[in-house]
Amino acid sequence: MTDIIHLLPDSVANQIAAGEVIQRPASCLKELVENSLDAGATHIKVLVRDGGRTLLQVIDNGKGMSPTDARMAFERHATSKIQQAADLFELHTMGFRGEALASICAVAHVEVTTRRLEDEIGTRLEIAGSEVITQEMTQCPVGTNMRVKNLFYNVPARRKFLKTDQTELRNLIAEYNRIVLVNPQVQFTFINNDEIISELPICSAKQRIEAVFGHSSKPFTSQLVDIQTNTELVNIYGFVGKPEAANKNSQQYMFVNGRYMRHPYFHKALMTAYSGLLASEYSPSYFIYFEIAPDAIDVNIHPTKTEIKFADEQAIFQILLATVREALGKFNVAPSLDFASETRIEMPQPTSAPISITAPHLKVDPTYNPFKKNNTHTAQSLPKDWMGLYDQPANVYSNKESPTFALSNDNTPILQWQNKYIVVPTDNGIMLIHQHRAHTAILYKELLQQLKNQQSISQTLLFPEILDLSNNDMQTLQDMQVELQVLGFDLDQFSPNSYSINAVPMQLGTNNPSETLLQIIHQVQDTGGTATQQWQENMALTLADKMAIPLGKTLSEIEMRDLLSRLEEQHPSRFLNNGQTIITIITNDEIQKRF
Ligand code: ADP
Ligand code: MG
């Protein structure tokens, strides 16, 4: 057999969204276990020590690697799984970016032993800080044994972000659960500090759910109702909780083609199916498995994020809603509810006939490039006369006394209008600057810079604030935690459904941080969650908006000039990222026409 790993062409590699693959031990675990699954393993053993800090080990009985492949595997964009961009639409493996092992060996000590079935002898490799330290032949079983030691030993900033061993272990287990629940055909073992904490034999999906969440005293899956529907567009199967079993600690999982995913929109379909059946603070458990043609979804999301785009979300929403409604109706699970309030219970109509949904044909644009960021506010969308307003300052600001007119020129008289706008005379007309948005633009750029440099200034709260969250918000927050920390939030999980806010970004002030955080969470959810490339920008924008001087605030001349000079330093655009206008000019022509 020949070696099977090859390097992706640069063009493809560059298309693949770069990003930090390894944020914490749990993300490392995910990558290792997914590799084992891709290698066809039927038994995967996970060993961790000290919350994954000192050791994260994954042993599989998969197909193993040749000595050359074992070495190649740690190169960036080395993958055996895809060869060209088009393959991304035919994805049948968990991995494809070829960056996980390269990222891991850059930030940890890695030791791997591996052997293929056809090889008599295996290979042992030691790598630290991306350098191969040893490679030798060794006796070992078929499969791969990856030991990742001392994660982030050379990245103090990342190490600092790690939480207590207990919290990291919880994250590891959460990640492990997301994988084992959708791979019941694989046997798993999880060992923490030499203690077996999970042993899962090969079984059915339902038995796997029971094994993960059940207690011997109380069967978990007896509270679930089966759902199943096959349409041209998508196959859906899974289990949804009986309404009367809903509680505050529901387990909610969705998977597509063997991957865990978060999908706020489909979540809404589920919640709609339950509407009227639940007391407001309770939510149902669900485990939904979607199967869909690989080219109808876009998994090329940030490697550590779990949002997945579907080509036809609305149709799937309807299919899911109808399927769950039917299941809840068919099993007549609704009437046992006992509401104290006068809430009217809307009973879903039990349908005897199978639901008939004509699945729409897939409309997949073959030229659609999921990696391309669609910039909604490009220069083209600006009126022509505004193009390059700041690229060619001489055009707009040509001024005899000071040819390179600056917004902050001390000689230009400026004034504040209605405590909202700063008025600046220019050669071309009267420039109006929206004070709140101008400040937002300034802070936004600063925050993005912070995210890039991972340096923040925060202000510790005298009394930590406790923020209670729904399951959904909880997940979003966990997905963004590293970025929030970089922005200056210091958060700790306080209970299964709450966080304590210990510190906030300096400029935010200590006023109502919970509300700000919730706004960021919801804003991120509304704009497609942490999956989109723009989510960090969205988060920074929301935060900047919160921090910026409000409308209605009287500004001194010094404050105004300071604002203008900071704005000018950034070569600002006329618009905020959300399309709002920051700067406008009432031109001389327009003024002239009025007379
Ligand atoms: P990707 O999974 O995106 O291809 P990785 O960096 O995770 O990239 O892995 C690089 C390559 O190393 C994989 O394509 C695969 O060929 C090989 N590999 C990694 N882990 C294993 C494993 N446990 N068993 C067999 N091959 C593996
Ligand atoms: Mg991989």
Side-chain angles (χ1 to χ4, degrees):
M1 232 201 172
T2 51
D3 303 324
I4 52 169
I5 300 186
H6 47 82
L7 286 170
L8 282 178
D10 268 353
S11 56
V12 182
N14 293 338
Q15 277 182 327
I16 293 174
E20 291 201 57
V21 190
I22 306 302
Q23 300 187 325
R24 54 180 353 112
S27 33
C28 184
L29 178 74
K30 171 174 184 281
E31 295 297 336
L32 295 180
V33 176
E34 287 186 348
N35 280 345
S36 298
L37 289 168
D38 284 344
T42 55
H43 186 188
I44 299 173
K45 206 166 151 183
V46 175
L47 296 96
V48 306
R49 259 182 215 292
D50 310 315
R53 238 178 273 265
T54 52
L55 177 73
L56 255 174
Q57 183 172 14
V58 174
I59 306 171
D60 70 48
N61 63 351
K63 66 183 178 196
M65 287 176 271
S66 73
T68 315
D69 280 350
R71 208 183 168 104
M72 273 278 271
F74 291 90
E75 304 260 344
R76 189 156 296 277
H77 303 307
T79 180
S80 57
K81 299 169 193 172
I82 59 169
Q83 307 201 19
Q84 51 191 14
D87 293 348
L88 283 171
F89 300 98
E90 298 273 330
L91 215 54
H92 296 284
T93 53
M94 301 299 292
F96 57 86
R97 298 182 179 81
E99 52 185 18
L101 291 186
S103 307
I104 293 170
C105 79
V107 296
H109 297 123
V110 180
E111 198 188 311
V112 54
T113 54
T114 184
R115 179 163 77 87
R116 301 181 301 176
L117 188 60
E118 61 266 45
D119 297 333
E120 299 244 305
I121 193 122
T123 302
R124 182 174 167 279
L125 253 168
E126 251 180 84
I127 302 172
S130 299
E131 298 282 331
V132 176
I133 294 167
T134 41
Q135 177 160 16
E136 60 194 15
M137 291 189 291
T138 185
Q139 292 287 350
C140 64
V142 171
T144 303
N145 182 341
M146 286 269 179
R147 288 165 64 90
V148 175
K149 291 182 291 186
N150 311 322
L151 192 62
F152 304 133
Y153 78 98
N154 53 357
V155 195
R158 277 282 167 197
R159 233 176 24 237
K160 215 176 66 196
F161 286 142
L162 295 183
K163 295 292 175 183
T164 61
D165 287 359
Q166 208 48 41
T167 305
E168 293 304 337
L169 178 64
R170 214 175 18 240
N171 287 326
L172 285 163
I173 293 171
E175 199 62 64
Y176 173 79
N177 285 345
R178 290 172 176 190
I179 296 172
V180 301
L181 285 169
V182 70
N183 288 288
Q185 78 289 357
V186 177
Q187 181 188 346
F188 286 94
T189 311
F190 193 118
I191 299 172
N192 175 47
N193 295 338
D194 298 323
E195 185 197 349
I196 298 181
I197 58 170
S198 164
E199 178 75 76
L200 302 167
I202 293 171
C203 59
S204 72
K206 200 166 189 174
Q207 288 166 332
R208 186 53 64 89
I209 294 171
E210 188 63 54
V212 173
F213 296 111
H215 305 283
S216 50
S217 56
K218 195 168 135 223
F220 180 81
T221 46
S222 64
Q223 301 173 343
L224 301 177
V225 173
D226 294 35
I227 62 158
Q228 163 113 44
T229 189
N230 297 336
T231 68
E232 238 177 275
L233 176 65
V234 64
N235 293 342
I236 304 173
Y237 75 96
F239 314 94
V240 296
K242 295 177 183 170
E244 70 265 29
N247 58 39
K248 283 183 178 168
N249 295 313
S250 55
Q251 302 295 341
Q252 301 182 332
Y253 289 84
M254 279 191 267
F255 307 93
V256 59
N257 296 355
R259 265 170 226 281
Y260 170 81
M261 71 161 175
R262 289 195 339 109
H263 207 294
Y265 186 58
F266 294 163
H267 171 79
K268 210 164 134 198
L270 281 149
M271 293 307 106
T272 309
Y274 279 91
S275 59
L277 300 176
L278 302 172
S280 64
E281 70 274 26
Y282 290 167
S283 60
S285 290
Y286 60 70
F287 303 85
I288 314 283
Y289 304 79
F290 296 87
E291 271 159 22
I292 192 163
D295 63 354
I297 54 171
D298 173 13
V299 292
N300 184 59
I301 43 163
H302 189 285
T304 62
K305 306 301 174 195
T306 50
E307 225 94 19
I308 291 185
K309 272 196 251 141
F310 285 66
D312 213 334
E313 304 203 325
Q314 269 155 14
I316 297 174
F317 182 101
Q318 295 302 334
I319 294 170
L320 182 61
L321 173 60
T323 308
V324 176
R325 272 218 174 119
E326 195 219 17
L328 295 179
K330 190 156 70 192
F331 288 88
N332 228 358
V333 288
S336 56
L337 271 179
D338 179 23
F339 280 106
S341 68
E342 288 192 307
T343 321
R344 233 189 78 232
I345 302 176
E346 270 177 42
M347 275 291 295
Q349 289 300 311
T351 47
S352 47
I355 47 158
S356 61
I357 295 161
T358 38
H361 281 280
L362 267 186
K363 275 182 272 151
V364 181
D365 175 2
T367 61
Y368 167 68
N369 181 347
F371 314 131
K372 220 179 200 156
K373 205 166 163 179
N374 49 333
N375 298 310
T376 36
H377 303 293
T378 54
Q380 286 116 44
S381 64
L382 307 183
K384 211 169 158 227
D385 48 330
W386 288 109
M387 277 169 62
L389 175 66
Y390 285 93
D391 300 339
Q392 300 147 305
N395 243 351
V396 184
Y397 303 123
S398 56
N399 176 316
K400 278 180 203 99
E401 284 84 17
S402 54
T404 50
F405 173 89
L407 284 171
S408 53
N409 187 321
D410 283 350
N411 300 324
T412 318
I414 56 172
L415 69 98
Q416 192 184 20
W417 188 253
Q418 290 193 323
N419 289 346
K420 276 190 196 166
Y421 310 104
I422 301 169
V423 183
V424 183
T426 77
D427 266 13
N428 285 33
I430 300 168
M431 177 157 49
L432 297 170
I433 295 155
H434 193 283
Q435 69 186 44
H436 172 74
R437 292 178 192 164
H439 196 204
T440 303
I442 293 166
L443 293 170
Y444 168 68
K445 289 242 169 107
E446 287 175 4
L447 289 170
L448 282 186
Q449 199 58 40
Q450 274 182 26
L451 276 170
K452 228 171 93 197
N453 301 347
Q454 306 217 336
Q455 41 176 235
S456 61
I457 311 163
S458 42
Q459 181 177 5
T460 305
L461 298 180
L462 210 48
F463 302 104
E465 224 173 87
I466 305 298
L467 176 61
D468 290 315
L469 294 165
S470 69
N471 281 352
N472 210 27
D473 291 351
M474 200 67 193
Q475 277 188 14
T476 310
L477 187 92
Q478 276 160 3
D479 283 351
M480 344 192 272
Q481 211 179 338
V482 170
E483 285 77 6
L484 286 170
Q485 259 159 7
V486 172
L487 287 171
F489 284 99
D490 179 19
L491 307 171
D492 266 316
Q493 186 156 4
F494 185 70
S495 77
N497 269 68
S498 68
Y499 266 83
S500 71
I501 308 173
N502 309 322
V504 296
M506 191 62 156
Q507 287 151 301
L508 183 63
T510 54
N511 197 14
N512 216 343
S514 299
E515 190 199 299
T516 306
L517 212 50
L518 268 180
Q519 261 185 23
I520 295 177
I521 290 171
H522 294 151
Q523 213 268 344
V524 164
Q525 284 169 346
D526 290 348
T527 50
T530 52
T532 66
Q533 297 183 337
Q534 284 129 336
W535 80 276
Q536 288 195 346
E537 295 171 16
N538 291 335
M539 181 165 73
L541 190 60
T542 308
L543 194 55
D545 181 58
K546 274 273 163 191
M547 293 169 161
I549 44 167
L551 287 182
K553 183 171 190 292
T554 310
L555 300 177
S556 69
E557 188 178 331
I558 293 174
E559 286 173 319
M560 284 192 279
R561 289 199 190 280
D562 176 56
L563 191 67
L564 295 181
S565 71
R566 285 168 70 193
L567 186 64
E568 193 193 21
E569 268 169 31
Q570 297 188 339
H571 305 289
S573 125
R574 285 187 56 231
F575 301 98
L576 280 177
N577 261 30
N578 58 14
Q580 291 177 332
T581 306
I582 305 169
I583 304 169
T584 191
I585 290 187
I586 304 169
T587 61
N588 291 337
D589 277 357
E590 284 171 78
I591 296 169
Q592 186 101 51
K593 279 195 199 122
R594 290 171 181 266
F595 295 97

